[in-house]
Amino acid sequence: MKTISLKNNLSFITGASSGIGEAIAYRLASLGSNLIICARREDRLNDMAEKIRKDYGVEVIALTIDVSSIDSIKQSLNTVISKLDKLDILINNAGLALGRDKYHESNLDESIRVIRTNCEGLMIITKMLSPLILKGDNPHIINIGSIAGDEAYSGGAIYCATKAFVKTFTDGLRLDFMDTNVRITNIKPGLVETEFSNIRFRGDSSKVKSIYEGIDPLVAEDVADTIEFSVTRPMHFQVAEITLLATHQGNGSQIYRK
């Protein structure tokens, strides 16, 4: 099967400064794609951009964007959009979870921030970049969802709800773009060891450690493998949805720990 070459493509990746987003950025650059990488941590983004340019010889634009802020998204994207003719790949990776408190005991401001990041940010970025995606050579939108979107668990009411939104939003996009060449994919990882848990548990190392005890979790590069597979399929082949689990993970909440 002849696969698609990403050489001289342009890929836009949110949440690119660490974890899954960082792994995706390096993987797509290794395949020859130019990049626009965005996240909140400007220094880390700039260091990444410099290293990727040096290692892979591709063009990289680093954008500082807070995906939970509508103003931040619009200000940054309006500047970039005016300079671009097309966009080939959009990876909506930025996501957030804060705490594992039961909802009635949780912090409302934190819940709203999670919704703004995981839902509103995804919507706005996709809307603003869609005209450029429609002009792409092998246009593809990939949303990073989660196994948490398939079923709720205690202490995850808001996070699970946002990932259920990602799934349904992605399915709706696929229908709306059905008369175009734009392919739409939802990647749903289970347990992946990244900085995600550090942020969720506010740096509490004992809580973070307990998440991964007794199991070999997925790593960011495993998700990047799946992204590579999805974007390099020939144009008649659309990967609609892939669920990734660690070998001893049965679903979003059940794990066999040795």
Side-chain angles (χ1 to χ4, degrees), residues 18 36 43 50 52 63 66 69 121 130 149 157 163 186 204 225 241-242 251 258:
S18 66
I36 300 175
D43 291 345
E50 183 177 351
I52 291 172
L63 285 182
D66 180 355
S69 167
S130 287
K163 290 305 182 178
N186 182 20
D204 187 326
D225 286 344
E241 183 174 289
I242 297 182
N251 57 27
K258 297 179 181 178

Side-chain angles (χ1 to χ4, degrees), residues 54-67:
K54 180 180 178 181
D55 289 351
Y56 299 107
V58 298
E59 297 179 15
V60 186
I61 297 172
L63 285 182
T64 306
I65 298 179
D66 180 355
V67 177

Side-chain angles (χ1 to χ4, degrees), residues 171-204:
D171 290 343
L173 286 178
R174 194 176 301 109
L175 294 169
D176 288 344
F177 280 104
M178 196 164 53
D179 60 345
T180 75
N181 287 328
V182 181
R183 299 183 293 179
I184 310 290
T185 301
N186 182 20
I187 305 294
K188 303 189 304 181
L191 192 64
V192 184
E193 188 169 8
T194 66
E195 291 183 11
F196 180 86
S197 292
N198 292 327
I199 295 170
R200 182 171 205 167
F201 294 111
R202 305 173 184 88
D204 187 326

